[in-house]
Structure formats: C-alpha cells, structure tokens
Amino acid sequence: VNATIISALVGIIGLGSISAASITQNILYLRRRSEDIVNGDLDTEVVTQREDELGQISNSIDNMRLLLSEKNQKVEMSQEKAD
C-alpha cells in the first residue's frame, strides 16, 4: 500500500513538473515576442497551439501586432500622400 501511495505521489509530482516547465516556456516565448513587437518587429507572427488562457493571451498579442502593423501602414500612406 505504501509503495502504491509513493508511486502515485512521484507520478503526480512528475506531471506537475512537466506542466510547470511547459507553462514557463510559453510565458518566456510570449515575453520574447512582446519585446520584439515593442522593438518594432511587427512581421513575425505570435504562434500557439494552446487553447487555454496562455493560448488566448498569445492570440491577443498577435491581434495587437496585426492592428499595430495596419495602423503603421496607414500612417505611412498618409505621410506619402502629404509629401
């Protein structure tokens, strides 16, 4: 019985560690992509396969990237017309 309980606990801890590592990797990816966008890279898509909250955040960041890109293009076109 004790061996079963210990095995179950080890399994739970292992799954928790894998899950935490996956979440951490996704957060670091989002941080890097956000920094790229802040630095002007509006061409690189923010890609995710996740369907959880991190996936929603990724999609929101990518939508902001697209909107910023569109607005920048409109500003550039307006400046070209003004010149």
Side-chain angles (χ1 to χ4, degrees):
V1 175
N2 286 339
T4 304
I5 293 172
I6 292 172
S7 294
L9 288 173
V10 169
I12 291 169
I13 292 169
L15 288 175
S17 296
I18 291 169
S19 179
S22 174
I23 291 170
T24 300
Q25 288 175 350
N26 281 276
I27 290 171
L28 292 173
Y29 169 75
L30 288 174
R31 187 187 81 201
R32 285 191 307 271
R33 287 301 303 126
S34 297
E35 289 171 353
D36 292 342
I37 292 168
V38 166
N39 291 321
D41 178 4
L42 300 177
D43 297 324
T44 306
E45 187 176 358
V46 179
V47 181
T48 187
Q49 300 295 323
R50 296 182 72 106
E51 296 182 10
D52 59 1
E53 290 82 359
L54 284 174
Q56 293 172 357
I57 293 169
S58 297
N59 292 330
S60 293
I61 291 171
D62 197 55
N63 287 335
M64 286 189 290
R65 175 193 65 84
L66 290 171
L67 290 172
L68 282 170
S69 181
E70 290 173 11
K71 290 186 184 289
N72 281 352
Q73 289 174 358
K74 288 179 183 177
V75 168
E76 289 172 5
M77 290 175 68
S78 294
Q79 288 175 342
E80 289 173 5
K81 287 181 183 179
D83 291 339

Short mmCIF file of all heavy atoms in Angstrom, two decimals, residues 3 9 38 42-43 52 71 73-74 80:
data_model
loop_
_atom_site.label_atom_id
_atom_site.label_comp_id
_atom_site.label_asym_id
_atom_site.label_seq_id
_atom_site.Cartn_x
_atom_site.Cartn_y
_atom_site.Cartn_z
N ALA A 3 3.90 1.57 -1.05
CA ALA A 3 4.59 1.68 -2.34
C ALA A 3 3.66 2.28 -3.39
O ALA A 3 4.07 3.08 -4.23
CB ALA A 3 5.11 0.32 -2.79
N LEU A 9 2.35 9.52 -5.71
CA LEU A 9 2.90 10.85 -5.40
C LEU A 9 4.03 11.23 -6.35
O LEU A 9 4.10 12.37 -6.82
CB LEU A 9 3.37 10.91 -3.95
CG LEU A 9 2.27 10.93 -2.89
CD1 LEU A 9 2.89 10.83 -1.49
CD2 LEU A 9 1.44 12.18 -3.01
N VAL A 38 7.57 45.41 -29.29
CA VAL A 38 7.93 46.72 -28.74
C VAL A 38 9.10 47.32 -29.51
O VAL A 38 9.14 48.52 -29.76
CB VAL A 38 8.28 46.60 -27.23
CG1 VAL A 38 8.97 47.84 -26.72
CG2 VAL A 38 7.03 46.31 -26.42
N LEU A 42 6.93 43.82 -36.36
CA LEU A 42 5.51 43.54 -36.49
C LEU A 42 5.23 42.49 -37.56
O LEU A 42 4.09 42.23 -37.91
CB LEU A 42 4.76 44.84 -36.82
CG LEU A 42 4.90 45.95 -35.78
CD1 LEU A 42 4.18 47.20 -36.25
CD2 LEU A 42 4.40 45.50 -34.42
N ASP A 43 6.29 41.89 -38.09
CA ASP A 43 6.13 40.91 -39.16
C ASP A 43 6.07 39.48 -38.67
O ASP A 43 5.50 38.62 -39.35
CB ASP A 43 7.29 41.04 -40.17
CG ASP A 43 7.28 42.39 -40.85
OD1 ASP A 43 6.18 42.91 -41.13
OD2 ASP A 43 8.37 42.94 -41.10
N ASP A 52 -5.76 27.15 -24.05
CA ASP A 52 -6.06 27.58 -22.69
C ASP A 52 -5.85 29.10 -22.59
O ASP A 52 -5.82 29.80 -23.59
CB ASP A 52 -5.20 26.82 -21.68
CG ASP A 52 -3.70 27.02 -21.92
OD1 ASP A 52 -3.32 27.75 -22.85
OD2 ASP A 52 -2.91 26.42 -21.16
N LYS A 71 -2.08 49.98 -38.63
CA LYS A 71 -2.05 51.40 -38.31
C LYS A 71 -0.76 52.05 -38.82
O LYS A 71 -0.78 53.17 -39.35
CB LYS A 71 -2.22 51.63 -36.81
CG LYS A 71 -3.62 51.33 -36.34
CD LYS A 71 -3.83 51.69 -34.89
CE LYS A 71 -5.18 51.30 -34.42
NZ LYS A 71 -6.28 52.07 -34.94
N GLN A 73 0.96 51.10 -41.40
CA GLN A 73 0.83 51.21 -42.85
C GLN A 73 -0.04 52.40 -43.23
O GLN A 73 0.28 53.13 -44.18
CB GLN A 73 0.26 49.92 -43.44
CG GLN A 73 1.23 48.76 -43.40
CD GLN A 73 0.59 47.45 -43.86
OE1 GLN A 73 -0.59 47.40 -44.17
NE2 GLN A 73 1.39 46.39 -43.89
N LYS A 74 -1.12 52.63 -42.51
CA LYS A 74 -2.00 53.77 -42.78
C LYS A 74 -1.26 55.08 -42.55
O LYS A 74 -1.40 56.03 -43.33
CB LYS A 74 -3.26 53.69 -41.92
CG LYS A 74 -4.21 52.61 -42.36
CD LYS A 74 -5.44 52.55 -41.47
CE LYS A 74 -6.35 51.41 -41.89
NZ LYS A 74 -7.51 51.27 -41.01
N GLU A 80 3.04 59.67 -47.09
CA GLU A 80 3.41 59.69 -48.50
C GLU A 80 2.50 60.62 -49.30
O GLU A 80 2.95 61.35 -50.17
CB GLU A 80 3.38 58.28 -49.09
CG GLU A 80 4.50 57.39 -48.59
CD GLU A 80 4.36 55.95 -49.06
OE1 GLU A 80 3.44 55.64 -49.84
OE2 GLU A 80 5.19 55.12 -48.63
#
